[in-house]
Amino acid sequence: MTRLLASPVRRLAALGLALLVVNVGALAIHVPGADTVGSVTRANVFVGVVVVGLGLYLLAVRLVLRERLPRAALWTILGVAVLMRAALLLAPPFLSSDIYRYVWDGQVQAAGINPYRYIPADPALEQLRDPAVYPLINRKDYARTIYPPAAQMVFAAVGQVSHGVTAMKLAMLGFEALGVLAMLAILRGAGLPSARILIYAWNPLALWSFACDGHVDAVAIGLLGLALLARTRHRYGLAGALLGAATLVKLLPVAVAPAFVRGGRLWRPMLLGAAVIAVLYLPYLGAGANVLGFAGGYGVEEGYETGAGYWLLAGLGHLGLSPPGLLRTYLVCAGLTLAALALRIAFGRDRAPAPDAVALCRDAGLLAALTTCAASPHYAWYYPWLALPAVVAPAPALIWLGAAPILFLIDPLNDRFLWPSLVFVPALVLAARALWQARTAPLAALPEGTAR
């Protein structure tokens, strides 16, 4: 057995097979017909199993970063990625019900109605209700849709073809595939090993978030991948337009904009990005102020209005400090930190210049990770997008943050600090370690006797 696994390619195949078995096994824990895993015990077992998959994934990432793999290994990586997604595609969503709102919004638009105008329970939409989708919509009694116009256009396009969950999931996987293909093109253009695509393609959090539950974040990932590709090919306007579209799927991608304007490439991406945002809003402006949907109400529900929804403030609450009293200080400090980093990336110069694609993805990954951690959403599917820039610039903290929030699929402690600390504390340790290594490596490289 040791000889059989001596080859890196064979070890990679074995890890892929094990990961596939683990994920299929986790799927088997779900009780058919249940809109959750089935029970608290089953949910705990499910997350325990997928955490085993997380361990296998991290071993596979270590392998592709440390070993020299032949080009043929790419087909193994992509084959396993496709098989894992195919295994979950036909399974009903059971970790989240968000996809039913996507399908509903698509049905509403197919009927020629602005999705921001009514809540699903409004009598004006009674004729659209069906037993397969409507009963499973979350917040249907009080919340207008929260999803921005670019997401709505995807829902509308799918709604013209099908009113089923599987079709919506296929659309999400199609956008995810665009992101993967874009990152492969970037790897090839930068002369980096194509096997690094495993960092995203085998990410178990992406697998469960998109192949199982069909979250719309996959659209943002596809558009962000295309934007990164356009930027590496010096198509600055196109890159800005694609990033603007990604921002109107999920707001978080706007955080990486400073990486796109570095080197003085400022006005074209900014102007075209802003123009795309404006144009995408136009078809929905008939809803008036409601075009912003449930964004404000969502912030209240998630504890952002009081500060309790932020991981760090929740931790300070355990020490007897009041999150509401610290909220303004936290937001100001986080905003100033991100602004300083954005200015440094957009207008600063690297002491040790990296290739353009690597620098772009490194900076995009840093901005994405810090912004996501500052917001600290407790939903797992907000994090897989961090694995995309890690394909080209594989920082350990970024890889961890892009996959480890699979733990957020449960919260046995029902606490916004203690359980999330299993993700955020190791990320901080990895980031501090990387920063220390970056500061000490140049000193270690100096000839003996050089003044320091």
Side-chain angles (χ1 to χ4, degrees):
M1 179 64 71
T2 303
R3 287 184 178 179
L4 286 174
L5 296 180
S7 163
V9 176
R10 288 174 178 169
R11 277 184 282 152
L12 180 69
L15 286 169
L17 178 61
L19 191 56
L20 177 61
V21 169
V22 164
N23 285 308
V24 171
L27 180 62
I29 296 171
H30 171 240
V31 175
D35 59 356
T36 60
V37 179
S39 68
V40 173
T41 300
R42 281 179 177 266
N44 292 338
V45 172
F46 172 84
V47 172
V49 172
V50 295
V51 167
V52 172
L54 173 64
L56 292 170
Y57 161 75
L58 294 174
L59 287 173
V61 169
R62 184 174 182 270
L63 177 65
V64 300
L65 291 178
R66 293 194 175 191
E67 299 282 357
R68 189 182 185 91
L69 296 169
R71 290 184 178 181
L74 176 63
W75 296 110
T76 298
I77 293 168
L78 295 180
V80 170
V82 170
L83 286 174
M84 289 193 296
R85 285 160 174 78
L88 299 184
L89 176 63
L90 297 179
F94 61 89
L95 301 172
S96 164
S97 60
D98 286 358
I99 195 170
Y100 295 103
R101 173 71 78 147
Y102 310 165
V103 175
W104 173 260
D105 285 355
Q107 291 179 7
V108 169
Q109 292 180 83
I113 301 170
N114 189 327
Y116 297 103
R117 189 176 291 277
Y118 305 105
I119 64 172
D122 194 291
L125 303 181
E126 185 174 2
Q127 72 277 11
L128 299 179
R129 297 174 191 170
D130 65 283
V133 173
Y134 178 77
L136 298 173
I137 300 171
N138 56 47
R139 304 181 179 94
K140 60 177 174 288
D141 297 326
Y142 63 91
R144 288 179 171 82
T145 185
I146 193 175
Y147 302 103
Q152 291 295 341
M153 290 181 177
V154 174
F155 304 157
V158 176
Q160 293 292 335
V161 178
S162 170
H163 293 171
V165 165
T166 301
M168 190 64 71
K169 285 209 264 184
L170 278 171
M172 300 307 157
L173 292 181
F175 276 97
E176 191 187 28
L178 285 177
V180 168
L181 292 174
M183 298 314 292
L184 279 172
I186 294 174
L187 288 170
R188 185 166 53 249
L192 296 171
S194 59
R196 286 190 183 183
I197 198 63
L198 177 146
I199 293 171
Y200 180 85
W202 284 16
N203 184 333
L205 182 53
L207 173 70
W208 289 99
S209 296
F210 308 136
C212 180
D213 287 340
H215 281 287
V216 74
D217 305 63
V219 178
I221 284 172
L223 293 172
L224 177 60
L226 292 173
L228 290 169
L229 177 60
R231 178 61 178 79
T232 61
R233 294 186 174 179
H234 310 296
R235 302 288 300 277
Y236 304 112
L238 178 60
L242 288 165
L243 184 61
T247 299
L248 284 196
V249 175
K250 207 85 170 186
L251 184 61
L252 283 172
V254 74
V256 308
F260 281 69
V261 300
R262 60 177 294 143
R265 306 292 197 264
L266 183 63
W267 297 112
R268 190 181 299 175
M270 285 186 62
L271 289 174
L272 283 176
V276 164
I277 290 173
V279 168
L280 290 178
Y281 261 110
L282 286 177
Y284 300 101
L285 291 180
N290 291 329
V291 76
L292 298 178
F294 188 60
Y298 180 81
V300 173
E301 282 191 358
E302 295 303 308
Y304 291 130
E305 190 177 67
T306 63
Y310 297 100
W311 172 69
L312 182 58
L313 293 185
L316 292 175
H318 281 280
L319 300 177
L321 301 174
S322 169
L326 295 171
L327 177 59
R328 181 175 297 180
T329 301
Y330 176 80
L331 293 177
V332 169
C333 290
L336 289 175
T337 301
L338 290 170
L341 177 62
L343 291 172
R344 172 69 179 83
I345 287 174
F347 303 109
R349 291 184 178 180
D350 290 335
R351 292 180 180 178
D356 186 56
V358 176
L360 172 66
C361 291
R362 177 201 64 203
D363 294 343
L366 178 59
L367 288 163
L370 286 179
T371 303
T372 305
C373 287
S376 55
H378 72 285
Y379 294 120
W381 49 88
Y382 278 70
Y383 295 85
W385 78 296
L386 301 177
L388 202 68
V391 167
V392 176
L398 194 60
I399 293 170
W400 173 259
L401 280 171
I406 203 163
L407 288 166
F408 294 171
L409 293 176
I410 60 166
D411 183 359
L413 305 178
N414 192 28
D415 182 271
R416 294 295 293 268
F417 177 75
L418 296 175
W419 187 255
S421 293
L422 294 176
V423 171
F424 292 125
V425 171
L428 289 172
V429 171
L430 289 170
R433 179 172 175 266
L435 182 61
W436 174 257
Q437 289 175 339
R439 291 175 64 88
T440 57
L443 295 178
L446 290 174
E448 187 175 351
T450 302
R452 300 186 183 184

